[in-house]
Amino acid sequence: MKIGVNNILLELHYGAKVRDAVLKYYSQQGKKVPRPFPRVEDGYGNRVDAEGGLSSGNSLFIMTAGGRRKSLTQLFLLLLLAGLFSACGSSGKVLTGGRTEREAVIFAVNDMHATLDNFPKLAYITDSLRKIYPHMLLVGAGDNQTGNPVNDQYPERGLPMIELMNATGFNLSAVGNHEFDTSPEGFSNLIRKADFDFICANMSAGNPDDFKIKPWKIITLPNGLKLAFLGLVQINRNGIPDSHPGKLKGFTFRSPFEAARDYLWLKDRSDIFIALTHIGFENDVKLAEIMPPAIDLIIGGHSHTRVEKEQIHNGIMITQADHKLNYGTLIRLSLRSDGSLTRSMQLIRIRKAGNESPAIRAMVDEYNDIPLLKEVIAWASDDFSSKEELGYLMADAQKDIAGADIALVNPGGVRIRSLEKGPVRAKDVYQLDPFGNELIVTRLTGKEIHSLMLAAYPMDDRQPVFSSGIFTVLKPGTGGELADVTLFTGDGTPLDMDKTYTVAMNSYMTQVYQYQHRDPGQSHYITTADALIDYLKKNQNIRSYRNEKRFRIEH
């Protein structure tokens, strides 16, 4: 897909994140990525996180250090100000001229990605706000799941997040692309255990009885206000959300823009019409621009966009609150008897809040104390005594899980140097591969693989790439550079330079290596660490890699 970075058009693999785009940009400029990672904004001046999702056509801008905005208002100031107007609450009040006003208050988060450790602070903030706004709604804009091994490796994957959302009092959640990571059966079980509803209008399940997901939901507040929420999830060029296709069996999807038009009648059934979306901020703007002013508010997710001030597009206010419970958005909607609606939003910092809910902290501590990551997932029959041996294991796993012809692992992606014979645990894998890079599958010709190998050598401090499915003969030049490389298949046959092979590698390599390729690749929607965990669980007994060599240097 094509993404603009600083007005330069880049070709990225499908499923790429903001980080991938920035890495690609600096690589093409021949520069190193600054440390710390630079601030990135979208075309509307909103800050986006490095792990934010992208859609083809998005625009990003890398900001200089001088472009920082003023710090946000702290929670205690907001509560102080809100307390001055607490009489408004969520009930009706009399205005001049006999008019009345009814208020709805919503606290919205998005892309929590199983950040369990921030839930005690979220609970404290929502409890504090509910003292001011007793009927405040708490909603999530999708991607509650995936991103924390404690949650993702739990015996029932994803259950800690659902239990914490229940305990914190969520009223509603959109369906995000990572909700499907738990598999259809797992997602179905989590839905049943949730005390809140999931909504999504542009998906349907083959067996609706297993998935209690409605397109929309109307919530009536005690003051009589009816709020209609419509759920929407992003789809990619393949017509599915950014998740592994195997996790989406039994579901069908359609364009969120087409689906939204089919539900304009919800405006007639409600006082306030809200789209609760997981399609990314720039697509939220597109949704606002193609819709009549029936929608009053869009609460979004997916792009990890930090909307710090009011964004109004085609008369519709759009909000989004970063990711991983760093922030939440307090939204106040006031409807007058003459039909006029006033809207305001305030971004509230969650992660740096000074207080926590003791009850939720106890739940989180219990989850973190469960030795899930210490459970044995496989058994090594021999010691791994080098990064090279571990790199071959990682490459074999990626090749197998991706069903690829070839797999490549950069030496810098192997972060431990040895692993003792005996039990292997999930925590060992996350120490070996801590980066969270996604597994990417590309279709490359032999010539393009040859180009990649030449490009990789200087990038990896003149170390050969760890491979699976090919054997490499390296020919260094007189100055230590790589003069040439010869490639062979696993059985010793020379690699066909004109044949196309499927090649698995991590997302860092696809963006940083400057090599010839037509296919930008497709994300497998699984991290390389999780691919290795899946491989180890499937095979259980890890063979010896002692003294194994998949390259040779010829002088």
Side-chain angles (χ1 to χ4, degrees):
M1 62 181 174
K2 290 180 170 58
I3 302 296
V5 180
N6 288 0
N7 294 317
I8 295 176
L9 199 61
L10 303 177
E11 184 80 24
L12 299 177
H13 66 263
Y14 288 91
K17 303 292 189 353
V18 170
R19 182 184 302 278
D20 299 315
V22 173
L23 289 174
K24 184 87 167 187
Y25 172 80
Y26 280 105
S27 176
Q28 288 202 358
Q29 298 296 309
K31 300 177 182 179
K32 291 185 177 180
V33 181
R35 294 292 181 267
F37 196 81
R39 171 180 177 145
V40 183
E41 293 185 352
D42 63 18
Y44 301 95
N46 302 303
R47 187 166 183 172
V48 292
D49 181 75
E51 299 306 315
L54 294 172
S55 298
S56 189
N58 285 173
S59 296
L60 301 173
F61 295 90
I62 301 171
M63 308 304 292
T64 60
R68 300 187 182 279
R69 299 186 181 129
K70 296 180 180 179
S71 61
L72 299 172
T73 305
Q74 296 300 310
L75 173 65
F76 76 90
L77 291 176
L78 174 69
L79 295 178
L80 177 62
L81 292 172
L84 297 176
F85 301 98
S86 59
C88 299
S90 295
S91 61
K93 66 176 183 177
V94 179
L95 304 173
T96 58
R99 292 175 300 162
T100 60
E101 182 179 85
R102 292 177 293 170
E103 186 176 59
V105 180
I106 302 168
F107 193 59
V109 296
N110 55 274
D111 298 277
M112 293 185 284
H113 287 291
T115 309
L116 309 185
D117 290 323
N118 282 350
F119 257 87
K121 296 178 179 181
L122 170 66
Y124 171 80
I125 289 172
T126 54
D127 288 346
S128 300
L129 289 170
R130 284 173 178 138
K131 292 177 181 178
I132 302 168
Y133 309 109
H135 306 298
M136 181 186 77
L137 301 178
L138 178 59
V139 304
D143 272 8
N144 311 316
Q145 299 292 343
T146 302
N148 181 350
V150 173
N151 177 76
D152 301 345
Q153 299 298 319
Y154 201 75
E156 183 175 351
R157 176 171 179 162
L159 184 60
M161 273 300 294
I162 295 297
E163 291 182 340
L164 285 169
M165 291 176 73
N166 287 343
T168 310
F170 272 78
N171 299 96
L172 200 61
S173 176
V175 173
N177 52 293
H178 282 292
E179 262 62 73
F180 299 98
D181 292 351
T182 55
S183 79
E185 181 181 0
F187 189 19
S188 175
N189 290 335
L190 293 180
I191 291 171
R192 292 191 186 96
K193 293 178 180 178
D195 295 337
F196 52 91
D197 290 320
F198 285 89
I199 57 171
C200 187
N202 62 318
M203 66 163 282
S204 58
N207 188 349
D209 292 336
D210 289 339
F211 294 91
K212 304 295 184 181
I213 299 176
K214 297 179 179 179
W216 52 272
K217 182 181 174 93
I218 292 179
I219 297 177
T220 302
L221 299 179
N223 61 12
L225 271 182
K226 292 184 177 181
L227 277 59
F229 291 86
L230 179 71
L232 299 168
V233 67
Q234 65 87 216
I235 60 172
N236 57 34
R237 62 165 181 164
N238 296 318
I240 58 176
D242 288 344
S243 187
H244 191 286
K247 302 289 181 68
L248 299 170
K249 292 180 178 178
F251 297 102
T252 57
F253 302 88
R254 62 178 178 136
S255 163
F257 308 109
E258 294 176 2
R261 292 191 186 97
D262 292 343
Y263 291 93
L264 290 177
W265 54 267
L266 281 171
K267 181 62 176 177
D268 297 327
R269 293 272 299 273
S270 62
D271 299 301
I272 300 173
F273 187 11
I274 301 167
L276 187 62
T277 74
H278 193 83
I279 61 177
F281 185 85
E282 293 192 37
N283 280 329
D284 283 332
V285 173
K286 179 180 176 181
L287 177 66
E289 290 174 346
I290 66 173
M291 296 291 284
I295 292 178
D296 300 299
L297 168 70
I298 298 175
I299 299 172
H302 185 59
S303 54
H304 298 189
T305 304
R306 187 192 304 177
V307 179
E308 299 183 14
K309 57 184 179 180
E310 290 185 4
Q311 289 266 359
I312 308 293
H313 297 270
N314 195 28
I316 300 171
M317 187 167 78
I318 305 174
T319 72
Q320 196 174 148
D322 203 281
H323 78 316
K324 292 188 174 180
L325 292 178
N326 289 323
Y327 298 89
T329 306
L330 182 66
I331 304 163
R332 295 176 64 180
L333 307 162
S334 296
L335 183 67
R336 294 179 176 177
S337 56
D338 62 4
S340 61
L341 179 69
T342 60
R343 300 161 297 190
S344 66
M345 56 80 63
Q346 173 67 52
L347 199 63
I348 296 177
R349 192 184 296 264
I350 296 174
R351 183 171 60 89
K352 292 188 177 181
N355 296 303
E356 297 184 340
S357 161
I360 302 300
R361 168 50 62 191
M363 289 181 66
V364 172
D365 288 345
E366 185 175 354
Y367 292 130
N368 287 334
D369 189 50
I370 296 175
L372 297 170
L373 301 182
K374 299 178 182 179
E375 292 180 0
V376 176
I377 58 175
W379 193 272
S381 62
D382 198 355
D383 293 330
F384 285 82
S385 58
S386 68
K387 291 179 67 174
E388 182 180 340
E389 293 175 2
L390 288 165
Y392 293 151
L393 171 64
M394 293 168 67
D396 286 347
Q398 292 177 22
K399 177 175 178 290
D400 179 88
I401 296 300
D405 301 315
I406 297 165
L408 305 173
V409 173
N410 59 311
V414 185
R415 304 309 290 181
I416 62 176
R417 295 185 174 276
S418 62
L419 185 65
E420 292 183 355
K421 172 183 177 179
V424 178
R425 299 171 174 85
K427 72 172 185 177
D428 298 318
V429 174
Y430 289 114
Q431 290 170 346
L432 171 65
D433 184 0
F435 298 108
N437 290 318
E438 290 198 3
L439 180 60
I440 309 299
V441 180
T442 58
R443 292 176 55 80
L444 303 177
T445 65
K447 291 179 182 177
E448 290 172 330
I449 297 171
H450 181 267
S451 169
L452 187 152
M453 289 299 193
L454 290 174
Y457 193 71
M459 293 291 296
D460 293 324
D461 296 325
R462 298 178 179 178
Q463 299 178 70
V465 169
F466 303 136
S467 64
S468 179
I470 57 172
F471 185 88
T472 308
V473 178
L474 307 169
K475 298 178 181 179
T478 56
E481 77 284 0
L482 191 61
D484 199 8
V485 59
T486 306
L487 303 171
F488 299 88
T489 63
D491 61 6
T493 304
L495 204 68
D496 188 337
M497 292 293 102
D498 296 319
K499 182 179 177 181
T500 299
Y501 300 86
T502 53
V503 181
M505 60 184 127
N506 65 54
S507 53
Y508 173 85
M509 297 172 68
T510 64
Q511 305 315 319
V512 171
Y513 289 175
Q514 298 184 39
Y515 62 101
Q516 301 170 9
H517 60 284
R518 292 185 179 181
D519 178 19
Q522 172 68 60
S523 176
H524 210 62
Y525 301 113
I526 184 174
T527 66
T528 51
D530 286 338
L532 180 53
I533 288 174
D534 289 349
Y535 177 77
L536 294 177
K537 286 181 176 179
K538 182 171 71 171
N539 291 278
Q540 293 291 302
N541 294 313
I542 310 170
R543 69 174 181 83
S544 174
Y545 284 78
R546 183 182 292 269
N547 299 322
E548 185 156 341
K549 287 285 182 182
R550 298 180 182 177
F551 70 91
R552 184 174 72 249
I553 298 177
E554 290 186 352
H555 295 282

